[in-house]
Amino acid sequence: MDLKQLLNNTADKIKELWEAGKIQRVSRVTYDVVWNIILFIGIIGFIGIFFGIGIGAGYFASLVKDEPILDYKTMKSDIYNYEETSKLYFAGNKYFADVNSDLHRDETKLKNVSENLINAVVATEDEHFWDHNGVVPKAIVRAIMQEAINSDIKTGGSTLTQQLIKNQLLTNEVSFERKGKEILLALRLERFFTKDQILEAYLNIIPYGREASGKNIAGIQTAAKGVFGVNAKKLSLPQAAYLAGLPQNPYYYTPFASGGKLKDEEGLKPGINRMKTVLKRMYEENYISQKQYDKAVKYDITADFTKKSVTSSEKNPILMTELEKRATKILIELDAKKDGYNKKDLDKNKKLKDKYTIQAERDLRQNGYKIHSTIDKDIYMKFQKVAKDYAYYGPDTTVTVIDKNGKTKQNKQQVQTGSILIENKTGKVLSFVGNRDYNDGNQLNYVTQRRPNGSTMKPLLDYAPAMEKGVVQPGTPIADTSEPILFPGQSYHPGNYAGGYHGIVSARDALKNSYNIPAVKTYAKIINDNPAKQYLDKMGITTLEKGDYYHPSLSLGQPTWGITPEENTNAFATFGNNGNFVDAYMIDKITTSDGKVVYKHKSKPVKVFSPQTTYLTLDMMRDVIQSGTASYIPSQLKYGGVDWAGKTGTSQDWKDAWFVGTNPNVTMGTWIGYRSPKSLRCYGCSPLSYSQRANKLWAELVNAATDQNKELMAPTKRFKQPDGIVSKSYCAISGMLPSDLCSKAGLVKTDLFNAKFVPTKKDDSLISGSFVEVNGRAVAAGPKTPKEFVNGNGLSFNPDWLKRNGYDRISDLKELYPRIETEKWEKIAFPKGKIGNAIKDSGKAPGTPGELSASTKHLSWGQATGDVIGYRIYRASSKGSSFSLIDHTTSKQYSLPGPGVYQVKAVDYFGRESASSNTVQVGGAKDKPEKYDDKTKDKKNKDQKDQGDQKKKADKKKDKKKDD
């Protein structure tokens, strides 16, 4: 049977059954059965759903039963409590670097984020974000099913709200309990916060891998700047899509490898593909058109990636490190103060200090502080260039060091520098140089390293304190001589840095030429008042050891370990601020990211010196620059007419060289030296001396700063002379009011004085007449003293004055003659031996000289008793003839003039002669005795004077040769 016939037969059969009603009865029964089955299943399913919901609700309740119900304030605090990188600023709110941190994040507002980025994030991460109440049930069920069947594809069920909760309130733990808490908190968060607030918080906390400098980054603003070099507001569509895709796997999709280097082509592919996926989602969600999609997909995003560059922190590592260190110290003290502790408490309790240190360091890296420094950006940058390019540091050296394994090795070291510029009135550190080149393997900040400050200590510790106490004034004469200097319990025998002695010099000239001995003698007069404690402590010098306060070497800038260039310069700023010390500082204020002030520096001036002492010290230091040890500086300064005052300094063995200068606005200090101390002196290594090399660097830094801010660095005003300063004449020998004899000697000087300490006594350092030697001691000649025994004529030192001032301890009083104005001083006679007391007249003649004897060349005799000043030689032509006076001598030996009979008589201070000695005959004794009249005596005196003058000239030439 064919198919057609079969179909026809089947149709006929169905028609027959239908007409008989049989089909209708079967259908109705089937319908009833099926419906009842469906109804039963529906009821069972409905009951099952409710049962499942109940079980699920119960399970959910069990998961979150211990979760506390958070109020708005707590949730707000937690949601917005994300780490934000603290930032460092130059003065004037000029940003320069982020604080060192493991994660860098910059907070931003939603209004400052590109709409492209917002759409990309919503389309990719949560397409129902604007509609849901924190969770999407369908997505949750889907995620649960995928988890239950262990699906290879897991789409996740977290909304942006849930992701925010997970990052800020919970952990990354994978568990149903954590998920339950996340859902509960997401629902609650949506009740308290708007969608914009939630999205803003999400965009600020989400990680974005790393940026072009290699830093780990979070937050959309940081990502936009770090990946594309633009603000989040300016992101283009492709850039926004690229960044929106990063959070799914930040370090896989980021275009930058570790260290900030751009990945190769293969490494960039995942991120670009992810960008295209985001664009596809944006198109599907109708955020962009087909045209925008096509254009964005074809866009070469690699051209927009920022190039690896040196960050501000890498350019200025010393500044960043120093500001971080100081900011941490401030935060330590602030946090401790909140808990009732002060700095002394922390210094005493290391465990307590460690606790607050850890807390402060964490806060600095996480709390998004803005740290505003006092550093002038333009001057600072110029300083670094000058220091790096400076050509006169001197030669490198090689030192032997022991490494951590105990092995010795040779290290090459450069001459380094530490320089700092401070504003006098405020204490602001305007700029500094930590070392000549941080990237040259040397990362020390020498501004904060202790080094002996040499002669820069003299105005701080010796002269200014002594002037404050009225012990010296600029014109006070001080003997630069060789005798040991007495201190309590010890004697100290310093030398001058260039050797030799300079005689009686004024305090002004001693400071100008940096003579050591006068400085130490000045310090010795005030050390019992502990000037280091009384003055250096007030000027912020905190790095002295206990023994330094009592050791004489501190007066020459040789403490146990030294002081820092910052402390030294800061102390000098006291003179620039009218005698008031203001502690130097680099941190002006610290604020939160929204501008709330956490800390604001407040300067507290401390009175150290009177205006009179301050001005006199400044005036003395002006001479240092104009004609003293820093006279090289004026020729190196571009800007003349500035009222600079300063002091050079050299440590022992020339290992450190300093110059610190101050003007009415600022104080600038410069140090140079090797890291491992070694002499800076070298011969033929440089056209400049070690001191000139330091001075020139100081001048070049000053020039650079003045180029940037002339008003600050080159003020037209001068240091103002205060009331109470007077100009007075004095005797350069004693410092007293001039006497007629001092005027006669041409040694009257004029200088400035504090009116409180103007000399009132008249000079008595000179007498009219000369000296005689009495039993080896020099005594001023009296009216009856025979003139032929007197040393010189005219003016002489007063022996009483010499003894009163301790000059009688000097082995050679010629040391009192200064090298300046020598021709005036040489007209003054001085004792050749020790100084004796005035002679009292006993009325008795001196004793007879001891036994007289003769050799072929000399007569010799013994010492006579009494106040003997010399001997007279008598001669007769033969025995029995009368004796005649032929000569005199202060010695006990006389060269024979020829044959004859001789005898000797002693002569005392008052002109009395002794009895004659025994006689001796020499030769035939037939010569006629020489007639010893006044004419002969005058001739002999002239011959003796000529011989003396010749000897003085020879000595003078010898001294000059020694000096040269």
Side-chain angles (χ1 to χ4, degrees):
M1 185 183 297
D2 59 14
L3 180 60
K4 183 176 180 182
Q5 186 177 355
L6 178 63
L7 289 174
N8 289 332
N9 290 340
T10 301
D12 291 340
K13 186 70 176 176
I14 291 173
K15 182 178 179 183
E16 181 181 342
L17 290 173
W18 177 261
E19 290 177 349
K22 292 181 179 181
I23 292 179
Q24 287 91 329
R25 287 194 300 271
V26 172
S27 296
R28 193 163 46 246
V29 172
T30 303
Y31 171 79
D32 290 340
V33 171
V34 171
W35 172 249
N36 287 330
I37 292 173
I38 291 173
L39 183 62
F40 177 77
I41 292 172
I43 293 171
I44 294 301
F46 187 72
I47 294 173
I49 288 172
F50 271 94
F51 183 72
I53 291 173
I55 293 174
Y59 181 63
F60 180 79
S62 71
L63 292 177
V64 301
K65 64 182 175 65
D66 295 326
E67 183 67 18
I69 299 176
L70 303 180
D71 58 20
Y72 170 79
K73 186 177 180 181
T74 301
M75 294 198 81
K76 181 179 180 181
S77 174
D78 289 341
I79 288 300
Y80 289 101
N81 182 30
Y82 40 77
E83 292 184 17
E84 184 180 356
T85 308
S86 294
K87 299 184 180 304
L88 302 171
Y89 293 83
F90 287 111
N93 201 32
K94 298 177 181 178
Y95 167 79
F96 85 87
D98 288 348
V99 167
N100 275 321
S101 178
D102 293 333
L103 181 69
H104 290 258
R105 175 190 281 113
D106 297 328
E107 184 182 2
T108 190
K109 299 295 182 183
L110 191 64
K111 65 181 180 180
N112 295 323
V113 178
S114 163
E115 187 177 352
N116 286 324
L117 188 282
I118 293 172
N119 293 338
V121 169
V122 171
T124 307
E125 298 292 334
D126 187 358
E127 68 267 28
H128 301 296
F129 174 72
W130 302 110
D131 304 317
H132 63 62
N133 293 317
V135 297
V136 177
K138 180 176 66 175
I140 295 174
V141 172
R142 183 175 65 242
I144 292 173
M145 292 300 295
Q146 290 171 347
E147 188 70 34
I149 65 175
N150 196 24
S151 172
D152 292 334
I153 300 174
K154 292 183 174 65
T155 58
S158 294
T159 62
L160 291 179
T161 312
Q162 288 175 265
Q163 291 183 51
L164 181 60
I165 292 293
K166 180 181 70 174
N167 278 279
Q168 294 302 93
L169 277 78
L170 302 174
T171 67
N172 288 324
E173 175 193 5
V174 179
S175 71
F176 286 114
E177 181 180 354
R178 199 272 299 163
K179 196 70 175 178
K181 292 177 180 179
E182 178 187 297
I183 293 170
L184 176 67
L185 292 172
L187 292 169
R188 191 164 183 78
L189 185 67
E190 291 271 354
R191 287 182 57 198
F192 288 142
F193 297 93
T194 67
K195 291 290 185 179
D196 282 355
Q197 288 175 312
I198 293 170
L199 185 58
E200 178 179 288
Y202 172 84
L203 291 175
N204 277 311
I205 63 99
I206 207 71
Y208 283 93
R210 67 175 66 89
E211 48 128 73
S213 67
K215 295 176 182 176
N216 298 325
I217 56 175
I220 189 58
Q221 172 63 15
T222 315
K225 292 291 288 184
V227 177
F228 294 115
V230 298
N231 289 317
K233 183 77 173 175
K234 299 295 184 180
L235 289 168
S236 67
L237 176 59
Q239 291 171 343
Y242 192 93
L243 293 181
L246 287 178
Q248 188 184 66
N249 196 335
Y251 294 97
Y252 180 59
Y253 293 136
T254 181
F256 302 107
S258 178
K261 184 180 179 181
L262 195 67
K263 292 178 179 178
D264 58 22
E265 185 177 349
E266 193 64 29
L268 292 174
K269 278 184 180 179
I272 295 173
N273 290 335
R274 176 64 178 164
M275 177 193 75
K276 293 177 180 179
T277 299
V278 173
L279 289 169
K280 181 70 172 176
R281 297 288 291 273
M282 292 181 73
Y283 172 67
E284 291 172 347
E285 295 296 323
N286 296 317
Y287 284 113
I288 59 175
S289 65
Q290 179 73 50
K291 184 178 179 181
Q292 287 176 306
Y293 170 75
D294 293 339
K295 183 178 179 181
V297 165
K298 296 176 183 178
Y299 185 79
D300 181 13
I301 194 68
T302 62
D304 290 353
F305 294 141
T306 57
K307 302 294 187 292
K308 178 173 172 56
S309 60
V310 179
T311 63
S312 295
S313 60
E314 290 173 318
K315 291 177 182 177
N316 307 297
I318 287 183
L319 176 58
M320 186 176 76
T321 301
E322 194 61 36
L323 292 180
E324 286 184 15
K325 188 188 303 179
R326 297 187 187 218
T328 301
K329 184 179 178 181
I330 290 170
L331 293 175
I332 289 171
E333 294 181 10
L334 287 177
D335 290 340
K337 187 177 180 181
K338 290 177 186 176
D339 295 338
Y341 299 107
N342 57 33
K343 186 176 183 299
K344 289 183 179 179
D345 297 327
L346 298 178
D347 291 339
K348 291 178 183 177
N349 190 329
K350 184 178 183 299
K351 188 175 181 180
L352 188 67
K353 187 172 184 178
D354 289 345
K355 169 191 169 183
Y356 285 106
T357 299
I358 293 169
Q359 182 177 324
E361 289 175 345
R362 184 189 66 233
D363 290 347
L364 185 64
R365 280 155 178 76
Q366 297 181 359
N367 287 7
Y369 290 128
K370 293 184 177 181
I371 299 158
H372 296 267
S373 77
T374 60
I375 303 298
D376 184 295
K377 178 181 179 181
D378 295 334
I379 296 177
Y380 182 83
M381 293 303 185
K382 286 290 185 181
F383 268 26
Q384 310 319 303
K385 188 174 190 314
V386 169
K388 187 173 183 179
D389 296 344
Y390 186 61
Y392 298 98
Y393 284 109
D396 295 346
T397 189
T398 302
V399 297
T400 301
V401 296
I402 300 176
D403 63 19
K404 60 183 179 181
N405 298 317
K407 295 181 179 180
T408 60
K409 61 179 183 179
Q410 301 296 308
N411 269 9
K412 185 179 178 181
Q413 291 188 5
Q414 295 179 316
V415 176
Q416 285 293 341
T417 185
S419 302
I420 188 167
L421 178 65
I422 299 173
E423 188 173 57
N424 300 334
K425 195 172 186 65
T426 64
K428 290 179 181 177
V429 177
L430 302 174
S431 186
F432 71 93
V433 175
N435 61 43
R436 62 190 281 186
D437 187 359
Y438 183 89
N439 295 315
D440 196 39
N442 191 332
Q443 300 178 355
L444 282 180
N445 180 2
Y446 288 96
V447 163
T448 60
Q449 300 297 308
R450 292 191 290 182
R451 301 295 289 233
N453 65 331
S455 293
T456 60
M457 184 69 89
K458 292 172 182 174
L460 299 172
L461 180 64
D462 306 337
Y463 293 110
M467 287 194 288
E468 187 74 5
K469 295 175 180 296
V471 173
V472 298
Q473 292 289 283
T476 299
I478 308 170
D480 181 10
T481 49
S482 61
E483 78 281 6
I485 303 168
L486 300 180
F487 282 84
Q490 61 181 310
S491 64
Y492 186 50
H493 203 157
N496 290 312
Y497 76 97
Y501 305 101
H502 307 89
I504 294 178
V505 295
S506 67
R508 180 184 291 277
D509 285 338
L511 181 64
K512 177 179 80 172
N513 296 302
S514 205
Y515 300 150
N516 288 343
I517 294 168
V520 178
K521 286 184 175 179
T522 300
Y523 185 57
K525 292 179 180 180
I526 61 174
I527 194 171
N528 286 334
D529 294 334
N530 199 351
K533 188 74 176 175
Q534 194 173 357
Y535 296 101
L536 294 188
D537 282 7
K538 283 185 180 180
M539 290 187 279
I541 293 177
T542 63
T543 48
L544 298 179
E545 299 295 321
K546 187 175 180 180
D548 293 331
Y549 288 89
Y550 311 103
H551 200 283
S553 64
L554 186 62
S555 63
L556 300 178
Q558 294 293 332
T560 303
W561 297 109
I563 66 177
T564 69
E566 180 178 356
E567 286 185 335
N568 202 25
T569 305
N570 198 188
F572 265 79
T574 304
F575 298 122
N577 193 34
N578 202 31
N580 298 304
F581 171 76
V582 180
D583 201 12
Y585 66 101
M586 283 189 198
I587 306 293
D588 182 50
K589 66 179 178 179
I590 300 175
T591 71
T592 59
S593 58
D594 57 1
K596 181 182 177 182
V597 176
V598 175
Y599 164 83
K600 181 74 173 77
H601 180 84
K602 294 180 180 178
S603 296
K604 298 178 181 178
V606 177
K607 183 177 175 61
V608 182
F609 299 115
S610 67
Q612 291 76 26
T613 294
T614 301
Y615 185 79
L616 293 175
T617 307
L618 287 167
D619 196 58
M620 292 167 67
M621 292 195 296
R622 284 168 170 157
D623 286 358
V624 173
I625 296 176
Q626 295 305 316
S627 57
T629 53
S631 58
Y632 176 68
I633 282 180
S635 67
Q636 302 302 303
L637 291 173
K638 286 171 61 177
Y639 300 86
V642 181
D643 194 9
W644 285 105
K647 185 68 189 76
T648 55
T650 306
S651 68
Q652 193 170 9
D653 299 326
W654 302 275
K655 293 176 180 176
D656 305 270
W658 297 75
F659 183 75
V660 186
T662 185
N663 71 30
N665 283 352
V666 297
T667 300
M668 172 78 191
T670 292
W671 162 89
I672 64 169
Y674 294 103
R675 178 175 180 174
S676 298
K678 194 172 182 179
S679 177
L680 291 164
R681 293 183 82 184
C682 57
Y683 300 97
C685 67
S686 171
L688 305 179
S689 70
Y690 72 94
S691 182
Q692 288 175 327
R693 300 201 296 271
N695 293 353
K696 184 175 177 65
L697 177 58
W698 180 91
E700 290 197 12
L701 290 169
V702 167
N703 289 339
T706 313
D707 287 342
Q708 300 304 311
N709 192 336
K710 186 176 180 181
E711 183 179 353
L712 172 75
M713 296 297 300
T716 55
K717 64 181 179 180
R718 296 179 62 80
F719 289 112
K720 185 179 179 181
Q721 181 174 310
D723 294 337
I725 298 292
V726 295
S727 178
K728 290 290 183 181
S729 296
Y730 65 95
C731 181
I733 303 174
S734 65
M736 297 293 101
L737 295 174
S739 63
D740 292 340
L741 294 179
C742 187
S743 298
K744 181 180 178 181
L747 293 173
V748 176
K749 301 282 188 181
T750 301
D751 211 327
L752 299 178
F753 287 81
N754 184 332
K756 290 168 56 178
F757 305 120
V758 170
T760 56
K761 294 182 179 180
K762 203 159 191 176
D763 170 66
D764 65 345
S765 62
L766 298 175
I767 58 174
S768 182
S770 295
F771 295 92
V772 290
E773 188 174 314
V774 181
N775 296 324
R777 291 184 175 271
V779 180
K784 295 181 180 180
T785 304
K787 292 181 179 180
E788 67 266 27
F789 293 100
V790 173
N791 296 320
N793 295 295
L795 297 174
S796 301
F797 282 113
N798 180 351
D800 290 338
W801 178 83
L802 290 170
K803 195 166 187 177
R804 192 166 67 239
N805 286 278
Y807 296 145
D808 58 324
R809 295 187 296 117
I810 302 174
S811 57
D812 183 0
L813 284 173
K814 191 174 181 181
E815 286 185 13
L816 293 174
Y817 284 2
R819 294 179 181 180
I820 56 172
E821 299 184 321
T822 306
E823 70 284 351
K824 294 181 180 179
W825 286 80
E826 285 186 341
K827 293 176 182 178
I828 304 172
F830 61 92
K832 294 181 179 178
K834 293 184 178 180
I835 301 169
N837 296 322
I839 304 298
K840 293 182 179 180
D841 190 356
S842 66
K844 296 180 181 180
T848 306
E851 180 71 22
L852 176 66
S853 61
S855 67
T856 56
K857 294 184 178 180
H858 299 96
L859 292 172
S860 300
W861 58 92
Q863 175 71 41
T865 59
D867 298 324
V868 177
I869 62 172
Y871 299 89
R872 287 175 178 156
I873 315 300
Y874 290 87
R875 180 175 182 267
S877 58
S878 60
K879 287 184 177 181
S881 300
S882 61
F883 282 88
S884 300
L885 177 65
I886 63 169
D887 209 346
H888 67 277
T889 181
T890 58
S891 175
K892 294 187 291 295
Q893 192 176 69
Y894 184 74
S895 297
L896 285 170
V901 180
Y902 295 91
Q903 64 182 17
V904 178
K905 294 181 181 181
V907 182
D908 72 5
Y909 180 79
F910 298 97
R912 298 187 188 94
E913 278 193 351
S914 69
S916 300
S917 68
N918 59 298
T919 60
V920 294
Q921 182 174 336
V922 179
K926 295 179 180 179
D927 295 341
K928 184 178 179 180
E930 178 183 10
K931 185 178 180 181
Y932 196 76
D933 54 16
D934 289 342
K935 186 175 181 181
T936 304
K937 183 173 72 173
D938 290 343
K939 182 177 183 303
K940 284 187 172 289
N941 286 340
K942 184 176 183 303
D943 291 342
Q944 289 176 353
K945 185 177 183 304
D946 290 343
Q947 291 174 359
D949 289 344
Q950 289 175 0
K951 186 175 185 304
K952 285 181 181 179
K953 289 179 180 178
D955 289 343
K956 188 174 180 181
K957 288 181 178 178
K958 184 177 180 182
D959 286 346
K960 187 174 185 303
K961 184 176 181 182
K962 182 179 179 182
D963 292 343
D964 293 341

